[in-house]
């Protein structure tokens, strides 16, 4: 992923204009700048409750990169509260009811920016699913917020940074998985001409217990 300081700055300023900041200062702005600066196109948030300032941050980033902002909530009550909170910005986000882990390994596999609320149940499994999805795609960034409220997210596969921003943040940059390739030579029996092909093997699937 290529970093864009211009996108980061514009998303940061747009988030400030959206206002409505019940969270600790700078959390939403940091998330928005990180997502936009990374050039993310599919941004997914897994919420413990309903949409909040972090959702607005992704909407601002998506507006800057021309991407999509998705917010996954648990049920219809959270969906209603999300629509109420977002107000006119609700049309700029895809509000989805469902299991965040399954959706990140299914419909949203390959999301290049995933935001996980560490106050949600099984947030560690959701975090790992987001990492796995990024590996299957072209890499990405996975962020856990409210990290001081639950067990910190860890991974033995990729480097994780713990930042003292707001209620604590965990940031993981996931590189795309390298494809293995080999050269194959085929000889045309009629002409004797050699043809050389480069074959790329499928990427190894990430299997979660």
């Amino acid at each position: 992923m290529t970093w864009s300081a211009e996108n980061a700055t514009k998303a940061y300023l747009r988030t400030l204009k959206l206002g409505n900041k019940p969270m600790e200062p700078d959390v939403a702005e940091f998330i928005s700048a990180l997502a936009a600066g990374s050039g993310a196109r599919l941004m997914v948030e897994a919420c413990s409750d309903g949409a909040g300032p972090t959702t607005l941050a992704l909407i601002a980033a998506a507006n800057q990169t021309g991407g999509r902002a998705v917010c996954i909530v648990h049920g219809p009550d959270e969906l209603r509260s999300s629509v109420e909170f977002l107000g006119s910005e609700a049309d700029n986000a895809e509000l989805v009811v469902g299991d965040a882990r399954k959706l990140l390994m299914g419909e949203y596999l390959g999301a290049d920016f995933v935001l996980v609320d560490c106050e949600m149940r099984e947030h560690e499994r959701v975090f790992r699913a987001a990492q796995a999805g990024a590996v299957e795609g072209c890499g990405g960034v996975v962020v856990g917020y409210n990290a001081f409220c639950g067990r910190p997210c860890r991974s033995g596969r990729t480097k994780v940074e713990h930042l003292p921003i707001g209620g604590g943040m965990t940031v993981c940059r996931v590189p795309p998985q390298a494809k293995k390739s080999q050269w194959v030579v085929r000889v045309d029996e009629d002409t004797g001409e050699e043809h050389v092909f480069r074959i790329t093997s499928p990427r190894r699937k990430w299997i979660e217990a």
Side-chain angles (χ1 to χ4, degrees):
M1 301 177 72
T2 303
W3 177 259
S4 169
E6 181 182 1
N7 277 347
T9 301
K10 289 181 178 179
Y12 177 91
L13 294 175
R14 178 175 170 80
T15 306
L16 285 177
K17 290 179 181 178
L18 289 175
N20 219 341
K21 294 170 54 181
M23 293 181 67
E24 291 287 337
D26 298 330
V27 174
E29 290 90 339
F30 176 84
I31 289 170
S32 183
L34 182 60
S38 298
R41 300 304 301 274
L42 177 55
M43 309 169 208
V44 181
E45 178 179 17
C47 300
S48 63
D49 196 358
T54 49
T55 315
L56 291 174
L58 293 189
I59 290 173
N63 178 268
Q64 185 59 40
T65 66
R68 299 161 57 195
V70 179
C71 179
I72 303 173
V73 297
H74 291 299
D77 290 341
E78 290 82 3
L79 180 61
R80 282 192 293 271
S81 66
S82 296
V83 173
E84 291 175 2
F85 176 85
L86 294 175
S88 61
E89 293 293 331
D91 291 337
N92 296 322
E94 299 173 31
L95 300 174
V96 180
V97 176
D99 184 314
R101 186 178 69 87
K102 291 180 179 178
L103 286 168
L104 286 168
M105 293 302 292
E107 184 174 353
Y108 301 116
L109 182 71
D112 49 3
F113 191 91
V114 179
L115 193 57
V116 180
D117 187 347
C118 294
E119 290 186 325
M120 72 185 301
R121 289 182 57 190
E122 298 187 329
H123 68 274
E124 289 180 296
R125 297 188 71 189
V126 175
F127 196 91
R128 288 196 297 270
Q131 291 176 306
V135 169
E136 290 299 314
C138 297
V141 178
V142 183
V143 178
Y145 64 99
N146 291 326
F148 295 159
C149 300
R151 294 178 59 188
C153 299
R154 296 185 175 88
S155 172
R157 303 169 188 266
T158 49
K159 182 180 179 181
V160 173
E161 297 179 84
H162 301 286
L163 306 176
I165 299 176
M169 300 188 74
T170 300
V171 180
C172 174
R173 293 185 180 274
V174 183
Q177 182 172 314
K179 296 182 179 180
K180 295 181 179 180
S181 62
Q182 59 181 339
W183 293 97
V184 177
V185 178
R186 293 283 186 267
V187 179
D188 189 309
E189 294 181 358
D190 295 326
T191 64
E193 187 177 32
E194 290 187 349
H195 300 277
V196 181
F197 303 91
R198 185 177 185 180
I199 299 177
T200 302
S201 61
R203 290 176 296 184
R204 175 180 56 80
K205 293 293 184 181
W206 183 307
I207 301 176
E208 180 175 351

